[in-house]
Amino acid sequence: MAELQLKSVEKTYGGGFKAVHGIDLTVAEGEFMVLVGPSGCAKSTTLRMIAGLETITGGEIRIGDRLVNDVVPGKRGIAMVFQNYALYPHMKVRSNLSFGLRLKRRPKQEIAGATGDVSRVLEIEELLERLPKQLSGGQAQRVAVGRALIKQPEVFLFDEPLSNLDAKLRASMRVRITDLHKRLRAEGRPATVVYVTHDQVEAMTMGDRICVMREGHIMQVADPTTLYQRPANAFVAGFIGMPEMNLVDAVLTTQDVPHLTVGDQTISIETGLADRLSLTEGPVKLGIRPQHLQLLTPGSDNALQGEVTAVEFLGHEINVHLRAADADFVAVVPSDHLDAMPRRGDRVAVKPTGAKVHLFDRYSEENISLG
Ligand code: ADP
Ligand code: MG
């Protein structure tokens, strides 16, 4: 296993479209790195450049200490698992697994040993004599992972490998893949992984670190806790977390009593937050996670006054949509915290819990409240 390094990597496609704008990323040996971002942000392009399936038009890619810019895919020491895992339909699972090694004319004994080892690790031993059409989606996906694992690559690349599975299976495959990664680490053969997904739950639960991308740029690289608690910009703040963080235009003033003006209303901000600010006044985006927005009785002091526009009952919690100070908000309220269910049209007041608020420069969208 090896470290993977991208330095100022660029991709301009044939038609002149620039898909990747000089990205820098280092994935440590044995690290599970997730690339996440909306559809079209160049996750697959980046992965395919690492694999050598796509040329790079600028920068450098290194696997271990080798510069691989001009190395063909087969010689890069990578193995890739795609969304459409396409097993060879006429071959039994055993032959699907060993195909790569047979192609390389490895000795029979080695092939048998590696097939046994990989099927044990992936718990697919009982499937070895089956054909792909006799497998469930999850089983087929495990065979596809096995086919990559058996190559003992320097770096594993996954491109949305779970997208074709239903929600329940996806959840169990998530655990299996991270489990496998931990097990390989414990056995002293850590796997360097780059895992592409557009699903923030996969990103947050699987990644040692997560690289958030937008339109061919890297917006932040950090561990899941840091991404959630200290988003570097409004994009990451909005992308990570469910429901999405409320992001509304406001004007910050820190003279005398620090406060925010939202629409035609004002709320003071806690000194704890005011002390963290790297900007003292001006147009900002106010970011409040729905879980950090308190519902209060109308007229409450130092809160935004508004009206409930919709209520979604989810069982253990309720999403309350509301309009206040010319902006839309969502508040998530644990259902056992409420005496009565809020209803559309109810007058309410809302206020962020404590200092759990983020402020972003309105124009650069950088977080100015990280301290
Ligand atoms: P993602 O995997 O994040 O959804 P892609 O890497 O597939 O994004 O695509 C990134 C951008 O590059 C998109 O705007 C897409 O339309 C464009 N793109 C992808 N492949 C090609 C290609 N072969 N030629 C031109 N543009 C492409
Ligand atoms: Mg893609």
Side-chain angles (χ1 to χ4, degrees):
M1 281 294 149
E3 178 183 273
L4 167 71
Q5 243 189 340
L6 275 65
K7 268 197 199 152
S8 311
V9 169
E10 294 184 5
K11 177 67 185 182
T12 304
Y13 277 111
F17 174 72
K18 191 159 188 179
V20 177
H21 300 261
I23 57 172
D24 294 302
L25 181 67
T26 301
V27 185
E29 183 171 347
E31 184 173 30
F32 199 115
M33 174 69 78
V34 174
L35 300 189
V36 70
S39 174
C41 72
K43 304 178 295 294
S44 294
T45 301
T46 303
L47 205 69
R48 291 170 59 80
M49 288 193 292
I50 298 169
L53 299 171
E54 202 66 73
T55 58
I56 71 173
T57 52
E60 291 183 350
I61 298 181
R62 283 174 198 278
I63 296 175
D65 45 20
R66 276 198 310 156
L67 180 68
V68 297
N69 285 22
D70 301 315
V71 177
V72 297
K75 296 246 154 68
R76 288 195 183 195
I78 49 105
M80 195 152 168
V81 181
F82 297 92
Q83 178 178 347
N84 306 313
Y85 31 84
L87 301 173
Y88 303 111
H90 56 285
M91 283 185 204
K92 287 182 177 172
V93 168
R94 181 189 299 283
S95 311
N96 262 288
L97 287 174
S98 61
F99 186 75
L101 297 183
R102 284 186 286 129
L103 211 60
K104 286 189 187 162
R105 301 190 181 283
R106 307 302 306 169
K108 271 212 167 84
Q109 219 174 349
E110 181 191 322
I111 294 177
T115 309
D117 186 35
V118 162
S119 49
R120 175 186 55 79
V121 169
L122 286 163
E123 297 170 49
I124 48 176
E125 288 151 302
E126 73 283 14
L127 307 177
L128 287 173
E129 305 311 322
R130 292 200 199 169
L131 286 167
K133 65 171 185 235
Q134 298 168 311
L135 303 175
S136 71
Q139 290 169 334
Q141 191 52 283
R142 267 186 283 158
V143 175
V145 173
R147 218 168 37 169
L149 189 62
I150 204 165
K151 291 187 188 166
Q152 301 196 310
E154 300 280 0
V155 179
F156 272 105
L157 305 175
F158 290 89
D159 195 351
E160 313 229 11
L162 308 185
S163 307
N164 281 351
L165 308 179
D166 65 50
K168 206 166 168 183
L169 198 51
R170 241 182 2 246
S172 78
M173 282 301 291
R174 267 197 329 253
V175 176
R176 272 183 188 278
I177 293 176
T178 39
D179 242 31
L180 172 64
H181 185 252
K182 287 191 190 116
R183 211 139 22 103
L184 292 174
R185 191 181 272 167
E187 287 177 11
R189 37 178 184 158
T192 308
V193 174
V194 183
Y195 185 104
V196 162
T197 179
H198 65 273
D199 177 1
Q200 58 157 308
V201 176
E202 272 177 38
M204 292 295 274
T205 56
M206 299 178 81
D208 290 324
R209 285 192 301 157
I210 301 167
C211 169
V212 183
M213 297 184 69
R214 174 196 200 179
E215 294 173 6
H217 295 274
I218 291 178
M219 302 306 284
Q220 188 170 9
V221 184
D223 62 88
T225 317
T226 305
L227 272 195
Y228 185 76
Q229 292 176 346
R230 299 172 62 80
N233 46 64
F235 180 80
V236 172
F239 191 77
I240 302 288
M242 278 186 303
E244 244 175 66
M245 184 187 280
N246 297 291
L247 285 165
V248 302
D249 286 352
V251 176
L252 168 69
T253 313
T254 48
Q255 276 175 350
D256 305 328
V257 184
H259 65 273
L260 289 164
T261 307
V262 188
D264 56 358
Q265 303 188 33
T266 61
I267 46 170
S268 64
I269 58 179
E270 304 227 340
T271 41
L273 172 63
D275 293 343
R276 295 204 306 267
L277 297 179
S278 58
L279 190 87
T280 50
E281 52 187 29
V284 294
K285 275 187 195 294
L286 164 64
I288 311 169
R289 294 208 185 274
Q291 294 81 357
H292 300 153
L293 195 60
Q294 285 173 271
L295 280 194
L296 306 168
T297 46
S300 293
D301 214 23
N302 197 28
L304 299 174
Q305 311 299 321
E307 187 178 315
V308 173
T309 54
V311 177
E312 296 172 299
F313 178 71
L314 302 175
H316 63 303
E317 55 192 23
I318 301 169
N319 293 347
V320 181
H321 297 253
L322 41 104
R323 183 141 188 97
D326 279 336
D328 294 313
F329 293 87
V330 180
V332 171
V333 191
S335 47
D336 53 8
H337 281 201
L338 288 173
D339 301 329
M341 189 78 159
R343 282 190 312 203
R344 184 185 151 88
D346 283 356
R347 306 290 308 168
V348 285
V350 286
K351 148 181 177 176
T353 321
K356 288 188 171 173
V357 161
H358 295 274
L359 293 179
F360 305 93
D361 183 296
R362 178 105 52 96
Y363 304 110
S364 73
E365 301 208 334
E366 295 297 308
N367 195 334
I368 57 163
S369 56
L370 291 175

